[in-house]
Amino acid sequence: MNNEPKIAEELISHRQVFPGDANPSGNMFGGRIMEIMDSSAAMVADRFSNTVGAVTASVESLSFRLPVHVGDVLKTVSKVVY
């Protein structure tokens, strides 16, 4: 059995916001942003654990400070920290 500590890799991804991601005012849906964040986090968790099937059990807090508009590019950075 390998007792070496695992090193958490960082996953960086970019995604452009399209009209289908936004409301009629051109602001991206918050739920869509959460979906993208959750997908990135799951990929990192799966890679770290060498399994497939990580799930989000809860989200303690999430605050949106500025709107994201159609045409903007979102950058997500995901890493296992605990």
Side-chain angles (χ1 to χ4, degrees), residues 14-71:
H14 295 82
R15 186 182 187 289
Q16 188 169 17
V17 179
F18 292 101
D21 298 321
N23 62 27
S25 297
N27 299 320
M28 188 172 193
F29 294 118
R32 184 71 178 118
I33 296 170
M34 290 178 66
E35 177 185 355
I36 293 166
M37 292 167 54
D38 194 40
S39 177
S40 288
M43 285 187 277
V44 170
D46 287 347
R47 187 182 298 168
F48 184 77
S49 66
N50 293 322
T51 62
V52 176
V55 299
T56 301
S58 69
V59 175
E60 188 173 317
S61 176
L62 180 61
S63 299
F64 298 107
R65 297 177 187 214
L66 296 169
V68 178
H69 301 102
V70 171

